[in-house]
Every structure is written in structure tokens, then in C-alpha cells.
Amino acid sequence: MASSEDTRPTRSARPSPSRRGRPRSFDRATALEKALLAFWEHGYEATSVADLTRAMGIGAPSLYAAFGDKQALFTEVVHEYRARYGSFGDRALAEEPTARAAVERVLREAAAEYTAPDRPHGCLVVHAATNCSTPEVEALLRERRNANIAAFESRIRAGIAAGELPADTDAGALARCVGAVLQGMSQQARDGASRAELEALVDVALAGWPRG
């Protein structure tokens, strides 16, 4: 047993390697979702870094460290939006037995998604392009919209090959028509159109669908 006069040096306390540095003090997935909602509500150009940090509940240094700059964050937001909120279109095109059934499902599910009461209305990819003057962001959003139209065209061409549609159907024009209806529904939802009103629009749009 050591006496009261024991003068042996004590080991100084040092932080272990795993405890060095400041741990991230926020949940990245939650912060990303809040950024997504901010961009969805206000668009890319009108959403400032200050708006983002306020919505995400973090400081600018944390934003830059976790996500990069505003443009890099938005790019990640677009991918997250497509995976979480925009994948209904891909599922419909893959699962429905005919091109018409697939397009109808896309449009009717869009009517529900674009007017959901618990989040901003319309489509982020359409709305975020409003007044956008950043070329890289414009290109990203244009690529996503064009990818949708290309997917419609591919499904329509499959329908033509299967005899569901007349052989002389202009697949490209019909796909662009579907894309125009979908983008118009987004804007009308932003302007206050209800799900029922968008469903009625779908009925009118599909009345002109070519018959095989």
C-alpha cells in the first residue's frame, strides 16, 4: 500500500484517438430532408445559404463540411427527391401491362403526390428550375425532365411493337405530350389545384390517347 508521502508521478489524461476532434452534432439525413423541403418550396435560386442553414438547423461551416457548397447540396437533394418522392413514375412504367395503363398510373399518382398535404406542392424538379440562372443546375434539371420523356417514349414504343398503339403513332410526340401534361400538373398544383381537379385533367388528356 502506498504511504501518504507517495510521490510517484500519475499518468496524465489524454484523449483517445476515437475522441479527438468534434463529432458531428446533427443528423445528416434529417438535415438533407430539411434542405430538400426548402428547395422544393422556394426553388434553387430563391433559396439562399442562410435560408438553408436556418431550415437545417446548422451553421454554414457544418453545411459546407457535410455537403459541400449550395450547388453540391442541391445535386444531392435532386437525387434524394427522385428516390423518395419521384420514383412512382418508374414503378408505373415497369409494372403496368400496357403503355396506356402505365401513363395513366403515372398521371394519377402525380395528381396525388403533387397535392399531398404534408409537403410542398408540385414537383421539385419542375419548380426548382423557375428563374434559375445557374447553368449547371439548369442542365441537371433539364436532364431529369428529358429522362422522364425518354422513359415515356421507350414505353410507348414498346406499346407500338406490341400492337397496343397504331403502327404510325409518333412515339416522340406522344411522350412529349405526356411530359407537358405532367409538368403542367405540377404548376397547377403549385397554383392551388386540388387532386380532384388534376384527376379531371388526366381524364381529358387520356381521352385523346391513340387506339390500337
Side-chain angles (χ1 to χ4, degrees):
M1 178 178 295
S3 70
S4 60
E5 297 179 353
D6 190 349
T7 58
R8 288 178 296 177
T10 58
R11 182 178 298 175
S12 60
R14 295 181 181 177
S16 65
S18 62
R19 298 179 63 184
R20 291 174 184 165
R22 296 182 62 186
R24 182 178 292 162
S25 59
F26 66 94
D27 181 79
R28 191 180 190 282
T30 299
L32 180 63
E33 174 70 6
K34 291 178 179 179
L36 187 156
L37 294 173
F39 280 126
W40 194 350
E41 178 65 37
H42 304 292
Y44 177 79
E45 214 66 52
T47 305
S48 67
V49 171
D51 294 330
L52 290 167
T53 56
R54 189 179 308 112
M56 298 164 78
I58 61 176
S62 294
L63 185 154
Y64 292 127
F67 299 101
D69 60 12
K70 173 184 169 181
Q71 186 176 319
L73 171 59
F74 181 73
T75 298
E76 187 169 347
V77 158
V78 170
H79 291 296
E80 180 72 7
Y81 173 83
R82 183 172 184 271
R84 292 196 57 188
Y85 300 104
S87 58
F88 66 89
D90 291 339
R91 290 194 299 271
L93 294 176
E95 295 171 2
E96 292 301 319
T98 67
R100 188 188 189 283
V103 167
E104 179 173 6
R105 177 174 159 186
V106 169
L107 296 179
R108 294 200 186 283
E109 290 193 11
E113 291 290 333
Y114 291 173
T115 58
D118 58 341
R119 55 181 182 259
H121 286 178
C123 171
L124 179 147
V125 174
V126 173
H127 177 59
T130 304
N131 298 323
C132 181
S133 60
T134 305
E136 295 82 1
V137 172
E138 285 184 303
L140 171 68
L141 297 173
R142 183 169 55 249
E143 179 183 347
R144 281 287 355 124
R145 294 191 299 272
N146 286 340
N148 287 339
I149 293 172
F152 295 146
E153 182 173 351
S154 177
R155 189 65 185 84
I156 290 166
R157 289 192 182 281
I160 294 171
E164 303 162 15
L165 292 161
D168 62 351
T169 299
D170 187 333
L174 186 55
R176 288 198 172 276
C177 180
V178 175
V181 171
L182 193 63
Q183 292 173 27
M185 289 172 65
S186 172
Q187 185 57 56
Q188 291 195 23
R190 296 286 303 186
D191 290 342
S194 67
R195 177 178 178 177
E197 288 171 328
L198 295 183
E199 290 268 11
L201 184 158
V202 173
D203 290 337
V204 173
L206 291 174
W209 189 265
R211 299 292 180 179

